[in-house]
């Protein structure tokens, strides 16, 4: 039996506890990551939603941003909502610093304010039918590079994408009882491990 994968959840803000519960439900060992040294020894990382500018302020401390930047280029990472913004190559409305690991352009708060939050049921390429998608002040992906695979859309805009070992969702799968997106990430982690 393969060992239980240890998946970090960046626990600086956002619904990191909900991600940890979803990971436990699909058989992973969740580890809350609050310092750069806690990235060592984990098999993958989730960067949750929250406020991307606040994330950047936290990541300025103790070289955390640089360590995370190295991690996202080597290990599987799953960004949701603000996590997508941190991973994106180009951030608009307004422009801001990012890790630049995902070949996309993303527009912050593109679907409106908190009051415009919504829950949709949309088709995806994941098995099992449409996925429940919880959108809260969600960013919009406005450009995808040639290496980016679109797994689900809202209207014409990509909302669930994959580029190599990086998965990104502009919605909040951790706030749904449907664990298929977290399972997909776990499968991505397993596939990226050297045999």
């Amino acid at each position: 039996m393969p060992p239980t994968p240890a998946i970090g959840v960046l626990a600086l803000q956002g619904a990191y506890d909900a991600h940890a519960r979803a990971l436990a439900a699909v058989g992973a060992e969740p580890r809350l990551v609050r310092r750069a040294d806690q990235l060592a020894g984990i098999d993958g990382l989730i960067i949750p939603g929250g406020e991307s500018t606040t994330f950047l302020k936290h990541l300025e401390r103790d070289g955390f941003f640089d360590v995370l930047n190295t991690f996202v280029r080597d290990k599987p990472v799953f960004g949701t909502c603000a996590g997508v913004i941190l991973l994106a190559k180009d951030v608009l409305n307004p422009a801001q610093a990012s890790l630049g690991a995902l070949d996309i352009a993303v527009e912050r708060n593109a679907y409106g304010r908190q009051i415009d939050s919504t829950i949709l049921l949309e088709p995806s390429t994941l098995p099992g039918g449409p996925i429940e998608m919880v959108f809260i002040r969600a960013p919009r992906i406005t450009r995808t590079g040639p290496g980016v695979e679109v797994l689900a859309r809202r209207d014409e805009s990509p909302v669930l994408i994959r580029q190599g070992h990086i998965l990104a969702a502009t919605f909040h799968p951790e706030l749904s009882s449907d664990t298929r997106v977290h399972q997909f990430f776990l499968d991505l982690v397993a596939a990226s491990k050297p045999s």
Side-chain angles (χ1 to χ4, degrees), residues 46-63:
I46 292 178
I47 304 176
E51 175 50 55
S52 56
T53 51
T54 305
F55 269 123
L56 287 169
K57 283 191 178 78
H58 285 294
L59 292 171
E60 285 170 2
R61 301 177 188 148
D62 303 319

Side-chain angles (χ1 to χ4, degrees), residues 6 14-15 24 26-27 36 61 77 86 108 124 128 154 163 166 187 189 194:
V26 295
R61 301 177 188 148
V77 177
L86 284 177
R108 297 172 61 206
S124 81
R154 173 183 177 180
Q163 182 182 344
I166 300 175
D187 295 343
V189 170

Side-chain angles (χ1 to χ4, degrees), residues 7-51:
I7 308 296
V9 183
L10 196 60
L12 303 176
Q13 61 161 354
Y16 51 83
D17 281 332
H19 275 294
R21 286 191 296 274
L23 286 168
V26 295
E29 177 199 334
R31 293 188 189 171
L32 299 184
V33 173
R34 294 188 170 95
R35 299 185 318 270
D37 64 309
Q38 293 174 321
L39 290 171
I42 58 174
D43 301 306
L45 177 72
I46 292 178
I47 304 176
E51 175 50 55

